[in-house]
Amino acid sequence: MTDEHQISVFDAIASRRSVRSFEDVPVEDAKINLCVEAARLAPSWANKQCWHFVVVRGKQAVAELGLTPAHIKNAQVLVIACGDPDKSGNIDGKQYYLVDVAIAVEHLVLAAWEQGLGTVWVGAFKEERVRKALGIPENIKVVALIPMGYPAGKEGIRAKLLKKVVGSANRKDVKEIVHWEKW
Ligand SMILES: Cc1cc2nc3c(=O)[nH]c(=O)nc-3n(C[C@H](O)[C@H](O)[C@H](O)COP(=O)(O)O)c2cc1C
């Protein structure tokens, strides 16, 4: 990565968008390592670091997992983000392993974006299928699948459609979500 590619954390946050179509170009191990390192450094419940990441490299290896949705199939890398509920907190029914893993995933996603790599958080998957395909132990929860690669110049029609449906760039107005001093 050269200086000219460096962007601020806020710029990365503000410019990031989910990417669901990827170039047919391999992703360098050094870039994947930086993403994983960003995840590793995330804060977590009592610093228990309840997460595990399975990293599948190479388009063919990813495709051979036979996982849906379609945008996983053309990814160059697939990161499977997992959490161990027994290693995190649980207060008032709030399972903090989800929080721990979510923060780590966002670190990973932003580190990817900073390096010119696109990702999308995929939450819609069949956990047992993923568990079986990757030999993930029964006591470990699969929280997210993160396909990764260089964003394709032209996105496929499905990706475009989905973006339209979810209104990818739309965000609520600050007045709707921030309550100064009192709700
Ligand atoms: C918890 C979570 C689950 C998601 N699951 C999916 C998914 O299964 N498939 C998908 O295409 N996008 C998924 N997304 C991506 C969101 O649709 C996307 O982040 C949102 O529409 C905002 O668009 P942006 O990421 O481009 O800013 C998920 C995002 C989150 C945070």
Side-chain angles (χ1 to χ4, degrees):
M1 194 175 49
T2 60
D3 278 352
E4 71 203 69
H5 290 124
Q6 278 184 344
I7 54 174
S8 73
V9 173
F10 186 80
D11 285 344
I13 290 169
S15 61
R16 184 212 54 82
R17 286 290 165 269
S18 291
V19 172
R20 297 180 177 87
S21 294
F22 305 96
E23 293 282 354
D24 208 355
V25 175
V27 175
E28 302 86 335
D29 274 354
K31 290 195 174 185
I32 302 172
N33 284 335
L34 194 86
C35 293
V36 172
E37 181 64 0
R40 189 181 74 86
L41 295 174
S44 62
W45 173 278
N47 199 22
K48 296 289 188 205
Q49 305 163 56
C50 76
W51 43 62
H52 289 263
F53 303 93
V54 183
V55 184
V56 180
R57 288 171 295 174
K59 188 175 168 175
Q60 190 161 342
V62 173
E64 278 170 7
L65 293 172
L67 301 175
T68 49
H71 37 270
I72 288 180
K73 295 222 169 70
N74 72 350
Q76 296 287 331
V77 180
L78 182 67
V79 179
I80 298 92
C82 307
D84 182 346
D86 298 333
K87 296 249 163 69
S88 189
N90 188 343
I91 288 191
D92 289 343
K94 285 176 278 187
Q95 299 208 311
Y96 279 91
Y97 81 89
L98 290 169
V99 178
D100 295 340
V101 176
I103 296 170
V105 168
E106 189 60 8
H107 275 204
L108 181 145
V109 159
L110 290 173
W113 190 254
E114 186 202 15
Q115 300 180 93
L117 295 167
T119 60
V120 57
W121 178 309
V122 175
F125 58 84
K126 294 209 160 48
E127 186 175 35
E128 274 319 299
R129 207 164 155 190
V130 177
R131 190 188 298 289
K132 231 175 154 183
L134 292 147
I136 296 166
E138 284 295 330
N139 61 316
I140 301 294
K141 298 293 288 177
V142 183
V143 178
L145 308 183
I146 305 117
M148 185 190 285
Y150 289 99
K154 270 196 177 213
E155 280 203 318
I157 185 83
R158 283 171 58 91
K160 270 194 188 149
L161 210 66
L162 189 62
K163 263 193 180 164
K164 217 175 153 82
V165 171
V166 297
S168 172
N170 298 345
R171 291 297 187 267
K172 291 181 180 175
D173 191 274
V174 68
K175 291 199 201 81
E176 273 187 74
I177 56 165
V178 179
H179 311 270
W180 295 104
E181 276 60 76
K182 213 176 165 194
W183 184 288

